[in-house]
Amino acid sequence: DERAPDSYILSAVLGLLGLMIAFTFSMALSRYDERREIVVSEANAIGTAWLRAGLIEGAGGAALQNSLTHYAELRSLLPHEGETEAVERETAEAQRQLWAQMRQSLGATPPPISATLINAMNEMFDIAAARKAEREAHIPGAVVEILLLYALLSAGIVGYVLGASEARHRGITFVLFVLLTLSLVLILDLDRPWRGGVTVSQQPMADLVAGLKTRS
């Protein structure tokens, strides 16, 4: 009974720690899902632009399709962390060349086909920009720092409250904070999907490249 107030404090501290971890994990998982979905969206957008480029008659349409195939290969290189900046620079240059090539090919193309191709190309470029923004967005550093600080303070409170008890709590407490550490590591891994154990699958882009090469 004399230790009851301390037990209440300990329960409140650990409960709040669990809530903070759950909130941060939910944020990291949500951004991971957005990054995964945007890879699928970009692959679909490139595939749509490639199909509509095929509506252009003559060598112009075939040349534009070949350029789009090369663009898809370039975008599939993004998972490699060391090449990200170089790929983004090459992407910007490839987009300028695609736009100029499309303008040259639309001279004798009916307006309905021209409009659909322009819309597909715009969507493809917009998703590429959105993918870059999603890749650079992370959990705010202040949130991670406060969470780590709170975990350390919670460990101190657990030691203070249970240290006065004669019960054998060290093993269970050790396991508890090992689990908390694993939770924090998983959160940081989800927040950095280009490296680590949990990465965003690039299979949609690989499937797109393989399909475009087969059709060419």
Side-chain angles (χ1 to χ4, degrees), residues 24-25 27-28 31 137-144 187-188 191-192:
T24 310
F25 177 80
M27 183 186 301
R31 290 188 173 179
H138 297 286
I139 296 174
V143 173
V144 178
I187 289 172
L188 295 177
D191 194 45
R192 290 159 177 79

Side-chain angles (χ1 to χ4, degrees), residues 25-166:
F25 177 80
S26 176
M27 183 186 301
L29 185 60
S30 176
R31 290 188 173 179
Y32 174 84
D33 287 337
E34 291 175 358
R35 292 178 178 120
R36 179 177 55 82
E37 291 174 1
I38 207 168
V39 172
V40 178
S41 298
E42 184 174 24
N44 290 337
I46 296 174
T48 300
W50 188 92
L51 289 174
R52 294 181 181 178
L55 299 176
I56 299 177
E57 298 180 357
L64 185 57
Q65 284 185 322
N66 290 334
S67 298
L68 286 168
T69 301
H70 173 71
Y71 181 80
E73 292 177 341
L74 178 62
R75 297 298 293 169
S76 67
L77 298 177
L78 273 178
H80 305 286
E81 183 69 22
E83 301 177 0
T84 300
E85 295 301 326
V87 171
E88 289 295 348
R89 289 193 297 269
E90 293 180 17
T91 295
E93 179 61 27
Q95 288 177 352
R96 286 192 290 269
Q97 293 177 1
L98 280 171
W99 192 261
Q101 190 175 0
M102 181 188 66
R103 291 182 60 184
Q104 294 177 356
S105 303
L106 293 180
T109 304
I113 297 178
S114 301
T116 57
L117 179 58
I118 291 172
N119 290 335
M121 199 77 72
N122 280 330
E123 182 180 4
M124 186 179 72
F125 293 166
D126 291 343
I127 293 178
R131 188 179 177 189
K132 180 180 179 181
E134 283 292 340
R135 186 176 64 255
E136 295 176 351
H138 297 286
I139 296 174
V143 173
V144 178
E145 292 173 0
I146 291 175
L147 182 58
L148 293 175
L149 177 61
Y150 192 89
L152 292 175
L153 294 176
S154 299
I157 294 174
V158 169
Y160 172 78
V161 172
L162 298 182
S165 174
E166 296 181 357

